[in-house]
Amino acid sequence: MIMTILVTGGTGTLGNHVVPLLRAAGRDLRVLSRSPRAAVDGIEFVTGDLLRGEGIEAAVAGADTILHLAGGPKGDDVATRNLVRAAAGVRHIVYIGVIAAEELPLGYFRAKTDAERAIIDSGLPHTILRAAQFHDLALKTVRAMGKLPVVPAPGGLRWQPVDSRDVAARLADLTLAAPAGRVPDLAGPEVLALSDMIRDYLRAAGKRRPLLSVRIPGKVGRAYRAGANLNLDTANRGKRTWAEFLEEQFAG
């Protein structure tokens, strides 16, 4: 008997990569969306809102596994608590977290940590994968910075960006496997200074901008300079580099 997988955030960047992989594995999917959508081959869309707690019971009903990808600038903890309350009896819930979330004194990371705790405390069989910043997010960040006449370059800030397709492939495997608890983090293949990533973007985009070194103040700055957002020990590394990602984005 083929069981249904409920995917939250299935229409986002990561979801758009994971959903085809799960369909290729022969699984029927149900995607939770805030807007109505017509069903496509093997994929049913259900309308609901995790933050408001609307439509979740109907979305979860009959699902064997939940792949929880939905997230935003704030409220991930609230959304996840609403989800797990409706998920009694689900065989497996898979969650995508952020590397070293508890080390960074920012609201977004605290919410991600609290979301993990909600899943663990629920008692549901689960798998939690933490990943580094996606290349897509890094590009959005440096593109916005590159619009300024003088680009601020935060000194000492390093990222270990990972390609969302590499994360999707790992998540698909984990979703189809048995619950494994907290699994090893997934980071990108290289650690890069944000200033170098900005220069790479400007070069790929054919732009010229002066860079101005700035210092991130306070606890946040100290955490980043200490590399709290990195996981240098992880043996799990994505394959696609930042340079390869940029080359794809600006091909032609």
Side-chain angles (χ1 to χ4, degrees):
M1 179 178 179
I2 296 177
M3 304 298 289
T4 297
I5 298 173
L6 170 65
V7 183
T8 75
T11 58
T13 297
L14 188 55
N16 281 330
H17 294 311
V18 177
V19 165
L21 296 177
L22 294 175
R23 279 297 299 138
R27 299 300 296 267
D28 289 334
L29 303 180
R30 182 182 298 155
V31 175
L32 181 63
S33 173
R34 285 193 295 268
S35 303
R37 292 171 179 256
V40 296
D41 181 36
I43 305 174
E44 172 193 7
F45 291 90
V46 294
T47 305
D49 191 305
L50 290 175
L51 275 175
R52 295 181 178 179
E54 298 172 350
I56 304 175
E57 288 79 8
V60 170
D64 174 60
T65 300
I66 298 174
L67 175 56
H68 183 27
L69 307 177
K74 58 183 179 180
D76 281 4
D77 50 343
V78 175
T80 302
R81 284 194 290 268
N82 288 338
L83 178 63
V84 297
R85 273 196 293 267
V90 168
R91 183 188 66 83
H92 188 191
I93 181 167
V94 182
Y95 180 66
I96 179 68
V98 180
I99 286 178
E102 69 278 358
E103 303 292 333
L104 296 167
L106 294 169
Y108 170 75
F109 295 103
R110 284 194 294 270
K112 296 296 284 186
T113 302
D114 290 344
E116 289 185 11
R117 178 52 54 190
I119 291 171
I120 295 168
D121 290 347
S122 74
L124 292 170
H126 63 271
T127 300
I128 295 174
L129 172 69
R130 288 184 174 187
Q133 293 93 348
F134 296 169
H135 287 148
D136 310 80
L137 174 61
L139 177 59
K140 183 178 180 180
T141 300
V142 298
R143 178 174 279 150
M145 297 170 73
K147 293 178 180 180
L148 300 172
V150 177
V151 180
L157 199 163
R158 295 170 294 160
W159 278 0
Q160 198 173 358
V162 65
D163 197 275
S164 54
R165 291 163 292 183
D166 291 331
V167 179
R170 178 70 173 133
L171 281 171
D173 289 342
L174 292 171
T175 302
L176 296 171
R182 170 83 182 274
V183 298
D185 300 344
L186 180 59
E190 54 193 352
V191 176
L192 300 169
L194 182 55
S195 57
D196 289 336
M197 295 178 68
I198 295 169
R199 291 187 182 95
D200 291 341
Y201 161 73
L202 292 173
R203 185 164 47 249
K207 294 184 177 183
R208 291 179 177 271
R209 297 284 192 279
L211 269 62
L212 176 65
S213 180
V214 296
R215 182 178 178 84
I216 304 175
K219 292 181 180 179
V220 174
R222 288 194 294 272
Y224 275 116
R225 286 189 291 275
N229 61 310
L230 307 176
N231 189 342
L232 303 178
D233 295 330
T234 181
N236 293 313
R237 301 289 181 96
K239 296 179 180 179
R240 296 179 179 88
T241 66
W242 172 241
E244 291 169 340
F245 174 79
L246 287 177
E247 185 177 359
E248 289 177 348
Q249 296 298 307
F250 292 95

